[in-house]
Coordinates of all heavy atoms in Angstrom, one line a residue:
G319 N 84.3 99.4 106.6 CA 83.3 100.4 106.2 C 83.2 100.5 104.7 O 82.0 100.6 104.1
M320 N 84.4 100.4 104.1 CA 84.4 100.5 102.6 C 83.7 99.3 101.9 O 83.0 99.4 101.0 CB 85.8 100.7 102.0 CG 86.4 102.1 102.4 SD 85.4 103.5 101.9 CE 85.9 103.4 100.1
D321 N 84.1 98.1 102.5 CA 83.5 96.8 102.0 C 81.9 96.9 102.2 O 81.2 96.4 101.3 CB 84.1 95.7 102.7 CG 85.5 95.3 102.2 OD1 85.9 95.9 101.1 OD2 86.2 94.6 102.9
E322 N 81.5 97.3 103.4 CA 80.1 97.4 103.6 C 79.3 98.3 102.7 O 78.3 98.0 102.1 CB 79.8 97.9 105.1 CG 80.2 96.8 106.1 CD 80.2 97.2 107.6 OE1 79.8 98.5 107.8 OE2 80.6 96.5 108.5
L323 N 80.1 99.5 102.4 CA 79.5 100.4 101.4 C 79.4 99.8 100.0 O 78.3 99.9 99.3 CB 80.3 101.7 101.4 CG 79.9 102.7 100.3 CD1 78.6 103.3 100.7 CD2 81.0 103.9 100.3
K324 N 80.4 99.1 99.6 CA 80.4 98.4 98.3 C 79.3 97.4 98.2 O 78.5 97.5 97.2 CB 81.8 97.7 98.1 CG 81.9 97.0 96.8 CD 83.1 96.1 96.7 CE 84.3 96.6 97.2 NZ 85.5 95.7 97.0
A325 N 79.1 96.6 99.3 CA 78.0 95.6 99.2 C 76.6 96.3 99.1 O 75.7 96.0 98.5 CB 78.0 94.7 100.5
K326 N 76.5 97.4 100.0 CA 75.2 98.1 100.0 C 74.8 98.7 98.7 O 73.7 98.6 98.2 CB 75.3 99.2 101.1 CG 74.0 100.0 101.2 CD 74.2 101.2 102.3 CE 72.9 102.0 102.2 NZ 73.1 103.3 103.0
L327 N 75.8 99.4 98.1 CA 75.5 100.1 96.8 C 75.3 99.1 95.7 O 74.5 99.4 94.7 CB 76.7 101.0 96.4 CG 76.9 102.2 97.4 CD1 78.1 103.0 96.9 CD2 75.7 103.1 97.3
S328 N 75.8 98.0 95.7 CA 75.6 97.0 94.7 C 74.5 96.0 95.0 O 74.2 95.2 94.2 CB 77.0 96.2 94.3 OG 77.2 95.4 95.5
K329 N 73.9 96.2 96.1 CA 72.8 95.4 96.5 C 73.2 93.9 96.7 O 72.4 93.0 96.4 CB 71.6 95.6 95.7 CG 71.1 96.9 95.7 CD 69.9 97.2 94.8 CE 69.6 98.6 94.8 NZ 69.6 99.4 93.5
A330 N 74.5 93.7 97.1 CA 75.0 92.3 97.2 C 74.8 91.9 98.7 O 74.9 92.8 99.5 CB 76.3 92.2 96.8
K331 N 74.9 90.6 98.9 CA 74.9 90.1 100.3 C 76.2 90.3 101.1 O 76.3 90.6 102.2 CB 74.5 88.6 100.3 CG 73.1 88.3 99.8 CD 72.8 86.9 99.9 CE 71.4 86.7 99.3 NZ 71.0 85.3 99.2
T332 N 77.3 90.1 100.2 CA 78.7 90.4 100.8 C 79.5 91.2 99.9 O 79.2 91.2 98.7 CB 79.4 89.0 101.0 OG1 79.6 88.5 99.7 CG2 78.5 88.0 101.8
P333 N 80.5 91.8 100.5 CA 81.4 92.7 99.6 C 82.0 91.8 98.4 O 82.2 92.3 97.3 CB 82.4 93.2 100.5 CG 81.8 93.1 101.8 CD 80.9 91.9 101.8
E334 N 82.3 90.6 98.7 CA 83.0 89.7 97.7 C 82.0 89.5 96.6 O 82.4 89.3 95.4 CB 83.4 88.4 98.3 CG 84.5 88.5 99.4 CD 83.9 89.0 100.7 OE1 82.8 88.7 101.0 OE2 84.8 89.6 101.4
D335 N 80.6 89.4 96.8 CA 79.7 89.3 95.7 C 79.3 90.6 95.0 O 78.7 90.5 93.9 CB 78.3 88.7 96.2 CG 78.5 87.3 96.9 OD1 79.4 86.6 96.4 OD2 77.7 86.9 97.8
A336 N 79.7 91.6 95.5 CA 79.5 93.0 94.8 C 79.8 93.0 93.3 O 79.0 93.4 92.5 CB 80.1 94.1 95.6
K337 N 81.1 92.5 92.9 CA 81.5 92.6 91.6 C 80.6 91.7 90.6 O 80.3 92.1 89.5 CB 83.0 92.3 91.4 CG 83.3 91.0 91.8 CD 84.9 90.8 91.6 CE 85.3 89.5 92.3 NZ 86.8 89.4 92.3
Y338 N 80.1 90.6 91.2 CA 79.2 89.8 90.5 C 77.9 90.4 90.2 O 77.4 90.2 89.1 CB 79.2 88.4 91.2 CG 80.5 87.8 91.3 CD1 81.1 87.7 92.5 CD2 81.2 87.2 90.2 CE1 82.4 87.1 92.7 CE2 82.5 86.7 90.4 CZ 83.1 86.6 91.6 OH 84.3 86.0 91.7
E339 N 77.4 91.1 91.2 CA 76.1 91.7 91.0 C 76.2 92.8 90.0 O 75.4 93.0 89.1 CB 75.6 92.3 92.3 CG 75.2 91.2 93.4 CD 74.0 90.5 93.0 OE1 73.1 91.1 92.4 OE2 73.9 89.2 93.3
V340 N 77.3 93.6 90.0 CA 77.5 94.7 89.1 C 77.6 94.2 87.7 O 77.0 94.6 86.7 CB 78.6 95.6 89.5 CG1 79.0 96.5 88.4 CG2 78.4 96.4 90.8
A341 N 78.4 93.1 87.5 CA 78.6 92.5 86.2 C 77.3 92.0 85.7 O 77.0 92.1 84.5 CB 79.6 91.4 86.4
K342 N 76.5 91.3 86.5 CA 75.2 90.8 86.1 C 74.3 92.0 85.6 O 73.7 91.8 84.6 CB 74.5 90.1 87.3 CG 73.3 89.4 87.0 CD 72.8 88.6 88.3 CE 71.4 88.5 88.3 NZ 70.9 87.8 89.5
E343 N 74.3 93.1 86.3 CA 73.5 94.2 86.0 C 73.9 94.8 84.7 O 73.1 95.3 83.8 CB 73.5 95.3 87.0 CG 72.8 94.9 88.3 CD 73.0 96.0 89.4 OE1 73.5 97.1 89.0 OE2 72.7 95.7 90.5
M344 N 75.2 94.7 84.3 CA 75.7 95.3 83.1 C 75.8 94.3 81.9 O 76.2 94.6 80.8 CB 77.1 95.8 83.4 CG 77.1 96.9 84.5 SD 78.7 97.5 84.8 CE 78.9 98.7 83.4
G345 N 75.4 93.1 82.2 CA 75.4 92.0 81.2 C 76.8 91.5 80.8 O 77.0 91.0 79.7
I346 N 77.7 91.6 81.8 CA 79.0 91.1 81.5 C 79.2 89.7 82.2 O 78.8 89.5 83.4 CB 80.1 92.0 82.2 CG1 80.0 93.4 81.5 CG2 81.5 91.4 82.1 CD1 80.9 94.4 82.1
P347 N 79.6 88.7 81.4 CA 79.6 87.4 81.9 C 80.8 87.0 82.9 O 81.6 86.2 82.7 CB 79.8 86.5 80.7 CG 80.6 87.3 79.8 CD 80.0 88.8 80.1
L348 N 80.8 87.7 84.1 CA 81.8 87.4 85.2 C 81.4 86.3 85.9 O 80.1 86.2 86.3 CB 81.9 88.7 86.0 CG 83.0 88.6 87.1 CD1 84.4 88.6 86.4 CD2 82.9 89.7 88.0
Q349 N 82.2 85.3 86.2 CA 81.9 84.1 86.9 C 83.1 84.0 88.0 O 84.2 84.4 87.9 CB 81.7 83.0 86.1 CG 82.9 82.7 85.1 CD 82.5 81.7 84.1 OE1 82.0 80.7 84.4 NE2 82.7 82.0 82.8
K350 N 82.8 83.2 89.0 CA 83.8 82.9 90.1 C 84.9 82.0 89.4 O 84.5 81.1 88.6 CB 83.2 82.3 91.2 CG 82.3 83.3 92.0 CD 81.8 82.7 93.3 CE 80.8 83.8 93.9 NZ 80.5 83.5 95.2
G351 N 86.1 82.3 89.8 CA 87.2 81.5 89.2 C 87.8 82.3 88.1 O 87.9 83.4 88.0
Y352 N 88.3 81.5 87.0 CA 89.0 82.0 85.9 C 88.0 82.8 85.0 O 86.9 82.3 84.6 CB 89.6 81.0 85.1 CG 90.4 81.4 83.9 CD1 91.5 82.1 84.0 CD2 89.9 81.2 82.6 CE1 92.4 82.5 82.9 CE2 90.6 81.6 81.4 CZ 91.7 82.3 81.6 OH 92.4 82.7 80.5
N353 N 88.5 84.0 84.5 CA 87.6 84.9 83.6 C 88.5 85.4 82.5 O 88.4 86.5 82.0 CB 87.0 86.0 84.4 CG 85.9 85.6 85.2 OD1 84.8 85.3 84.6 ND2 86.0 85.5 86.5
G354 N 89.3 84.6 82.0 CA 90.3 85.0 80.9 C 89.5 85.4 79.6 O 90.0 86.0 78.7
Q355 N 88.2 85.0 79.4 CA 87.4 85.4 78.2 C 87.0 86.8 78.3 O 86.6 87.3 77.3 CB 86.2 84.4 78.1 CG 85.0 84.8 79.0 CD 85.1 84.3 80.4 OE1 86.2 83.8 80.9 NE2 84.1 84.7 81.3
L356 N 87.1 87.5 79.4 CA 86.6 88.9 79.5 C 87.8 89.7 78.9 O 88.9 89.5 78.9 CB 86.4 89.4 81.0 CG 85.4 88.7 81.7 CD1 85.4 89.3 83.2 CD2 84.0 88.9 81.1
T357 N 87.2 90.8 78.2 CA 88.1 91.8 77.7 C 88.6 92.7 78.8 O 88.0 92.8 79.8 CB 87.5 92.6 76.5 OG1 86.4 93.4 77.1 CG2 87.0 91.8 75.5
T358 N 89.7 93.4 78.5 CA 90.1 94.4 79.5 C 89.1 95.5 79.7 O 88.8 95.9 80.9 CB 91.5 95.1 79.1 OG1 92.5 94.0 78.8 CG2 92.0 96.1 80.0
K359 N 88.4 95.9 78.7 CA 87.3 96.9 78.8 C 86.2 96.4 79.7 O 85.7 97.1 80.6 CB 86.9 97.2 77.4 CG 85.7 98.2 77.4 CD 85.3 98.6 76.0 CE 84.2 99.8 76.1 NZ 83.8 100.0 74.8
E360 N 85.8 95.1 79.5 CA 84.7 94.6 80.3 C 85.1 94.6 81.9 O 84.3 95.1 82.7 CB 84.4 93.1 79.9 CG 83.6 93.2 78.6 CD 83.4 91.7 78.1 OE1 84.3 90.9 78.3 OE2 82.4 91.5 77.4
A361 N 86.4 94.1 82.1 CA 86.9 94.0 83.5 C 87.0 95.4 84.2 O 86.5 95.6 85.3 CB 88.1 93.2 83.5
G362 N 87.5 96.3 83.4 CA 87.6 97.7 83.9 C 86.2 98.4 84.1 O 86.1 99.2 85.0
T363 N 85.2 98.0 83.2 CA 84.0 98.6 83.4 C 83.3 98.2 84.8 O 82.7 99.0 85.4 CB 83.0 98.1 82.2 OG1 83.5 98.5 81.0 CG2 81.6 98.7 82.3
I364 N 83.5 97.0 85.1 CA 83.0 96.4 86.4 C 83.6 97.3 87.5 O 82.9 97.9 88.4 CB 83.2 94.9 86.6 CG1 82.5 94.2 85.5 CG2 82.8 94.5 88.0 CD1 82.9 92.8 85.4

Side-chain angles (χ1 to χ4, degrees):
M320 295 299 287
D321 284 346
E322 289 171 5
L323 177 64
K324 183 191 310 182
K326 178 183 174 188
L327 292 175
S328 65
K329 299 176 183 125
K331 292 179 183 175
T332 66
E334 294 79 28
D335 291 338
K337 63 184 172 185
Y338 301 106
E339 290 295 324
V340 170
K342 184 175 154 184
E343 289 173 12
M344 300 180 80
I346 297 173
L348 181 69
Q349 50 193 316
K350 293 187 180 187
Y352 179 73
N353 284 287
Q355 78 285 1
L356 293 182
T357 65
T358 303
K359 182 178 180 180
E360 289 173 325
T363 299
I364 297 166

